Amino acid sequence: MPPTITASPGNIVVPMSTILQALDGVLTPAERDALLGAVVGVRADQVQPGDLITAQFVNSLLEDINTLQLRVAALEGSAGGPVLVRIEPSNETAVGDLLTLIGSGFDIQPGKTTVLMGGVQISAFNLGSDSTKLMFQVPDSFTGLPKTVAVSVKVGDRGSTSLACLVNPLVPQQGGQVVIEPTTPALGTIIVGNTYPISWQVDSQTILPATYRFALLFTGLTGSTVTAWKTAAIIAPTGDQQITRGAPITVTANVKVPTGASKATISLDVTSTDGLFHNTSSPLDLVVGQAPAVSDPRVTFDPISIGAAAQTVRKAQITVDGASLAGVQIKFGQTGVIPLTVRLQADAEHPGTATAAGDYTYTAVIETPAGRWAAPIVAPTGNTSVAAGSTRSLNLTVQNTDAGTSPIPTFLKISVAHRPPGSAAPADFTSFIRIPIQGYVS
């Protein structure tokens, strides 16, 4: 067990009788008596009836017990061999954790010292290791975890005593992203008073399952209010929903066009309850009297991933008509590169549709440049003979030309058009994503 360094509420103090009993057979009776006298002999005559036993006295006694542990470890080990006193931070660890063995007589020259941990040999140690401590990551080499294993140190042909250590399995750390794929069917002409089904597939591409909340965002309104649209909309499922990687769920909103409305842009907002993951869907425009353009589900887009080293472009939450949407900001007067991953779904994921394999053309536009944005450049502009189920990486070069530093956001629309292999015919389906974009100062 690790030594008690100071006396605190809740500490378990080992009786001296237990320590002396453990030394039975190791020390002669005379050596045991001398050791006992060295540890407590001086202290005993300092305590008189009625005296207050102070923390200083107890801590001094504990220091002597720690010294005794060192002596015991040295006596039990091979003469002149390494001494293992304790394991830090405790005698319990997990795969991947940093473990430190405290003792003496260690030799960190390559090949000189080996730690034996439940039959697993460890001979590579972290920087900071020296003759009194060995630091290393607990390897993923154990079976049947959790279990208690013996830990000892061997230097040359001499070994230390063993200490018990409980090894727990690796605790996975959360990470990943949440992806939203539009699955809305063709809606036909939008008419006031009619109800339209709008749907998305939400995929939690995370290491561990995550729990999410869903909300509808209404922006770009003409002729009606957010309250009117929300009152006439029903979203399912309601409440918090746990999603496991590889088991996406469908979120559906039945949206009724309120009286007086002529236009609205609808997005799905997805946020994990722990705040680690957030994404908003590509906006869908509903214009009364028109049939909305719906992105074909055979091509989907991963959330934008911009590296921390980027200087002119960054991910940001952009407010559009009071709603916060996941988007991109580019410094005023600067040019930034936006990376985007395009996924061409395997046909089995969308049965009954034409094949997703074929030739693809990529384009991008700023929907309302208003003199603040140059035409985006997409690289590459297309790919031929693309297999279904594969991915392609695009780079979009976008220049902010706004000298007036206007905060007004707009949308960057990226379209992917499909043709059968080698065909010169018009595209047979098109998929797209609309991303809020805005300039920023710093």
Side-chain angles (χ1 to χ4, degrees):
M1 67 181 240
T4 303
I5 305 302
T6 59
S8 304
N11 282 157
I12 299 175
V13 180
V14 179
M16 183 61 68
S17 60
T18 301
I19 297 175
L20 293 176
Q21 184 178 3
L23 294 174
D24 190 28
V26 177
L27 303 179
T28 65
E31 289 172 332
R32 290 176 59 211
D33 291 344
L35 186 56
L36 177 61
V39 174
V40 301
V42 177
R43 309 288 183 205
D45 59 14
Q46 294 177 351
V47 181
Q48 303 298 325
D51 285 350
L52 177 66
I53 300 179
T54 65
Q56 181 179 3
F57 169 77
V58 175
N59 288 335
S60 297
L61 184 59
L62 292 173
E63 289 176 7
D64 289 337
I65 294 174
N66 289 339
T67 302
L68 176 62
Q69 285 184 305
L70 285 166
R71 287 176 163 178
V72 172
L75 288 168
E76 290 183 344
S78 301
V83 174
L84 178 58
V85 177
R86 64 182 184 271
I87 299 173
E88 292 184 350
S90 68
N91 284 58
E92 181 175 352
T93 188
V95 171
D97 283 357
L98 177 66
L99 205 62
T100 302
L101 307 186
I102 303 298
S104 62
F106 306 149
D107 188 343
I108 61 170
Q109 295 184 65
K112 295 290 186 179
T113 297
T114 300
V115 171
L116 301 176
M117 191 172 185
V120 176
Q121 296 188 10
I122 301 161
S123 56
F125 306 105
N126 292 15
L127 290 176
S129 299
D130 54 32
S131 62
T132 62
K133 62 180 178 292
L134 298 174
M135 304 165 62
F136 57 90
Q137 311 296 133
V138 178
D140 188 8
S141 304
F142 303 95
T143 59
L145 298 181
K147 68 179 179 181
T148 299
V149 301
V151 181
S152 62
V153 180
K154 187 176 181 181
V155 178
D157 59 355
R158 299 177 184 273
S160 72
T161 54
S162 297
L163 295 179
C165 182
L166 175 62
V167 180
N168 292 302
L170 176 68
V171 178
Q173 299 297 311
Q174 182 63 294
Q177 62 187 5
V178 57
V179 177
I180 308 171
E181 301 178 7
T183 56
T184 300
L187 299 178
T189 302
I190 302 302
I191 300 173
V192 171
N194 283 4
T195 299
Y196 298 91
I198 303 173
S199 59
W200 304 265
Q201 186 180 76
V202 180
D203 187 8
S204 185
Q205 297 177 358
T206 54
I207 296 173
L208 302 173
T211 301
Y212 296 93
R213 293 171 182 164
F214 312 115
L216 294 177
L217 303 178
F218 296 91
T219 59
L221 303 179
T222 303
S224 190
T225 65
V226 171
T227 300
W229 281 91
K230 284 188 174 181
T231 300
I234 300 174
I235 190 171
T238 59
D240 298 348
Q241 298 290 320
Q242 185 182 82
I243 306 177
T244 301
R245 186 184 186 98
I249 68 170
T250 297
V251 178
T252 300
N254 289 315
V255 178
K256 182 179 180 180
V257 181
T259 301
S262 58
K263 181 184 176 183
T265 298
I266 303 175
S267 304
L268 177 68
D269 183 86
V270 179
T271 305
S272 63
T273 55
D274 57 12
L276 292 178
F277 308 107
H278 175 250
N279 197 7
T280 52
S281 70
S282 179
L284 174 65
D285 285 336
L286 296 186
V287 180
V288 173
Q290 298 181 15
V294 177
S295 178
D296 192 281
R298 279 165 287 181
V299 176
T300 59
F301 304 83
D302 281 3
I304 290 174
S305 177
I306 297 173
Q311 298 297 314
T312 60
V313 58
R314 67 186 184 186
K315 292 195 297 183
Q317 291 299 120
I318 297 177
T319 300
V320 181
D321 295 335
S324 180
L325 306 180
V328 174
Q329 292 179 326
I330 295 177
K331 276 188 177 181
F332 289 110
Q334 300 293 317
T335 299
V337 176
I338 303 172
L340 187 64
T341 299
V342 176
R343 295 188 177 273
L344 315 174
Q345 302 298 335
D347 296 325
E349 297 182 28
H350 301 284
T353 62
T355 178
D359 300 339
Y360 283 88
T361 301
Y362 314 121
T363 57
V365 296
I366 301 291
E367 292 187 347
T368 53
R372 301 191 304 268
W373 301 92
I377 300 172
V378 184
T381 57
N383 293 116
T384 59
S385 301
V386 180
S390 61
T391 63
R392 289 296 182 270
S393 296
L394 308 182
N395 284 320
L396 295 92
T397 301
V398 181
Q399 183 182 9
N400 182 304
T401 59
D402 186 5
T405 63
S406 171
I408 299 174
T410 184
F411 285 93
L412 169 65
K413 183 177 181 180
I414 303 100
S415 299
V416 177
H418 171 270
R419 292 175 178 81
S423 172
D428 55 3
F429 72 80
T430 300
S431 304
F432 61 87
I433 186 173
R434 297 172 68 227
I435 302 168
I437 190 168
Q438 183 182 49
Y440 78 101
V441 177
S442 61

